[in-house]
Every structure is written in structure tokens, then in C-alpha cells.
Amino acid sequence: MTGDGPRRAPGRTRGGGRASASMADVARLAGVSSQTVSRVSNGYAGVNEETRGQVLAAMKELGYRPNSAARALKRGEFRTIGVITFSLSTTGNVRTLEAIANSAAHQGYAVTLLPVAVPTEDEVRGAFSRLEELAVDAVIVIMEVHLLDAATVTLPPHVQVVVADSDAGDRYTVVDTDQAGGSRAAVRHLLDLGHRTVWHLGGPEGSFAAQRRADAWRAALAEAGRSAPPLVRGDWSAASGYEVGLGLAAREECTAVFAANDQMALGLLRALHERGRRVPEDVSVIGFDDIAEASSFLPPLTTLHQDFAEVGRLCVEAVLRKMRQDGPERGTTLVPTRLVQRASTAPPPGHPGAR
């Protein structure tokens, strides 16, 4: 047989089976350059959607799979960011993780998630070791608990790390919501309505965010010359807000409550309703987070809006800068909160303007 036999389609063997397609095969089928195929396979911007669709369709038809290991060796990076988190049960952590994943994808990076059940130094070191085995370029740690505050706990010095939601700004690069500013805004809002003081339904004792919000609550009351009622704590859940709320509902002097998150505020609303305390006519309630359901609470919840998307974007931006060695080694970036006023806050009973 001579070389004049039938030509095979790209990606096909003589027997009709599928062979390993090359980038050049994809480029020919899509009618583009190999460089364009490379940009699409690496997730780079700058390729119009029509061309990107043609390249992806050609990849699918030929069964082309980019060689991730070869690409990583060639450019010296894996284009993957590791994320360590200690809980996926809280709204803040889940929404921060979602924002990090979306922002990383926009930059052409994948995310490898490694949940850690117990926030101890051994678990942290073990998590970094596992992430190194999984080939990541850098790590973002969502660390709500008080762990990095302890001088005995350190992160591996050779890994580029950004920390979200932690009080470790003098030792690491940290991105966080302005916990204190949001809490002060909540207290000022309730005092401006005419309440004599503000009770606080705080988060768990081991949480950095809960501690920062509680400290700011006390400070705001002190600055206004008001005494702080006893701090009561929940565990971020609606169930804990309900249990604590039953006790608060029994206190006639309690006319305003700042809940450290919206889920506990939801449980508090139920407890007040069951005990015959009207919201906001008898008790005003304000939360923190502005979860998607907050406007559907009964009554709709006044709360502090956290910009989780911005926190995630800044975490990815900071870790990429550290990888390129053109960003700060330490320090905290705070993302402002915003008061969202709805129907759960009003002047106290007997005050001018009260309902």
C-alpha cells in the first residue's frame, strides 16, 4: 500500500478507534491557532466567546484533554489554590468559600478544598502537607477560630498564605469584614431609635468574629455612656438563638437585641413571638450577615450586610500578588459593612415615634 491511502480524521486510529488528540488537531478543527487553543485550555481571558465555543466544541469532538502536569512543569505553577477551612456549617464560611472559588475561576485558577475537623496546630500542619501533595500554588485559610492568635501556632513559612476572618494581621496577610465597624453601626442604630441600652446575643466564645463583635458592642455602649447588659451566647445556629431568646423574652427591660448573626436572630424572633413580645413594637432585633432570606423573616430583618464576594475577591487577589512577590507580606485589609434597615427595628415602647 502506498502513501495515497485514505486520510484519517484527526484523533482517529487506522482501526477507527480514538487516538490521543493533540493541540494542533484541535486548532485545525476549530480553525484557530495553537496559541488560541492554549489560552482557552488554560482559562485565560482575551478570547471572545464565539471562538472559545468553537475551541471547546473541537476539544469535545476530538476527546482532547490538556496535559495539566506538562503545563505545570512548563510554566512552573499548577494554577490551583488550596483552601483550608475548619467549618462548612456557618453561613460566613460557606459564602466566603463560594466567593473565593468564583474569583479564582475568573482568574483562571482552580480551587482544592481541604476541610479540617479540629482546629489544632497538628491538623493545620497536616492540612498543608496534604495540599502540597495535591500540588497547589498557594493557600487561603478561612480561620474563624482563635488559633493564629496563639504564638505557638505558625503556618509553614515556605508557603504563600492569605488568611480570611482571623485576628492575625501582624503576622500574616489577612482579609476580613470590618467586624467592629459593623457592630458599632448596629448599636448606634438602636440607640438612635431611643433604646436605653442594647442586649447582645453573641456567637461562640472560640470565634474571632464573635469576639470582635462583642468587644465592639461593649465599646459602643461605653462611648454612649450606657451600661452593657450581661452578654448571652449562642453557637451561630437558629436553634441556639431560640433557646437564648426564651430567656431574653422574659426580661421586660430588654427592648433591643443585637444578634451576632442572622441565623440566631431568626431563632430569637421565634422565641419572642411565642412569649408574646412583638417585634419591633416591644423588642427591636438587628442581625449581622444579611443572608438571602433576611428580607423574608417575619418581620423582615434589619441587619449588617457583609460583602462576601469582595472578601473572596481580595483573598484571591492578595494570594496572587504574594505568588508574584509584589504584595505586602503582612497586614489586614478590612471590607466595610452596610446597615440594611428593614422592619425589625423601631423606637422602644413609650418613646415618641413608637408604633
Side-chain angles (χ1 to χ4, degrees):
M1 177 177 273
T2 68
D4 296 330
R7 298 176 62 186
R8 298 187 302 275
R12 293 289 178 180
T13 66
R14 289 184 181 274
R18 185 171 295 278
S20 178
S22 68
M23 186 178 294
D25 293 331
V26 175
R28 281 194 295 270
L29 184 59
V32 299
S33 67
S34 293
Q35 183 181 13
T36 298
V37 176
S38 176
R39 293 185 66 83
V40 171
S41 65
N42 284 302
Y44 289 123
V47 181
N48 69 56
E49 289 306 310
E50 182 179 357
T51 301
R52 187 184 301 276
Q54 291 172 352
V55 172
L56 292 175
M59 287 180 177
K60 183 177 180 180
E61 181 176 339
L62 296 176
Y64 174 75
R65 295 292 182 270
N67 189 329
S68 299
R71 295 205 316 267
L73 289 172
K74 182 178 180 180
R75 64 183 178 230
E77 64 178 39
F78 299 95
R79 298 195 72 81
T80 300
I81 298 171
V83 177
I84 297 174
T85 182
F86 298 105
S87 174
L88 290 174
S89 62
T90 63
T91 297
N93 284 0
V94 171
R95 292 183 65 182
T96 300
L97 175 60
E98 178 186 26
I100 289 171
N102 289 338
S103 184
H106 182 73
Q107 296 288 341
Y109 282 76
V111 166
T112 296
L113 173 64
L114 190 62
V116 176
V118 183
T120 64
E121 182 171 9
D122 286 344
E123 288 289 331
V124 171
R125 292 189 179 279
F128 272 93
S129 296
R130 292 192 291 276
L131 281 177
E132 287 179 340
E133 294 171 0
L134 293 170
V136 301
D137 300 304
V139 178
I140 296 173
V141 184
I142 304 175
M143 189 174 289
E144 179 205 330
V145 295
H146 284 287
L147 182 60
L148 291 183
D149 306 1
T152 57
V153 178
T154 57
L155 301 181
H158 62 285
V159 181
Q160 300 296 346
V161 178
V162 168
V163 183
D165 197 7
S166 177
D167 192 11
D170 59 337
R171 301 169 64 199
Y172 303 102
T173 302
V174 178
V175 178
D176 188 28
T177 295
D178 186 0
Q179 314 285 350
S183 300
R184 290 173 182 270
V187 173
R188 286 196 299 267
H189 170 67
L190 292 168
L191 294 181
D192 288 346
L193 287 172
H195 296 274
R196 296 179 60 84
T197 190
V198 178
W199 293 67
H200 184 45
L201 171 50
E205 193 168 359
S207 164
F208 157 72
Q211 189 61 51
R212 184 58 60 89
R213 293 171 197 181
D215 290 345
W217 159 72
R218 287 194 187 91
L221 287 176
E223 289 168 4
R226 312 296 174 89
S227 59
L231 171 66
V232 291
R233 290 189 183 274
D235 62 7
W236 297 130
S237 70
S240 70
Y242 173 74
E243 292 298 327
V244 174
L246 293 175
L248 291 177
R251 294 180 174 270
E252 291 295 328
E253 72 275 22
C254 176
T255 65
V257 182
F258 163 39
N261 78 335
D262 291 350
Q263 291 290 340
M264 291 193 298
L266 174 60
L268 172 63
L269 290 176
R270 176 191 167 195
L272 292 169
H273 173 74
E274 289 184 359
R275 292 297 185 265
R277 303 290 302 277
R278 298 170 300 166
V279 177
E281 292 85 354
D282 300 323
V283 183
S284 286
V285 175
I286 187 170
F288 203 115
D289 281 341
D290 192 24
I291 62 176
E293 299 82 8
S295 61
S296 297
F297 287 7
L298 191 61
L301 183 66
T302 297
T303 185
L304 274 300
H305 177 81
Q306 289 200 73
D307 193 344
F308 292 104
E310 182 67 0
V311 171
R313 186 188 71 80
L314 291 175
C315 281
V316 172
E317 181 180 284
V319 85
L320 293 181
R321 286 203 312 268
K322 289 173 73 70
M323 287 167 54
R324 299 167 187 143
Q325 298 184 340
D326 64 355
E329 288 299 315
R330 298 179 180 86
T332 298
T333 299
L334 292 180
V335 177
T337 58
R338 172 171 52 87
L339 177 68
V340 180
Q341 188 171 351
R342 298 191 178 101
S344 67
T345 52
H351 187 275
R355 298 183 185 182

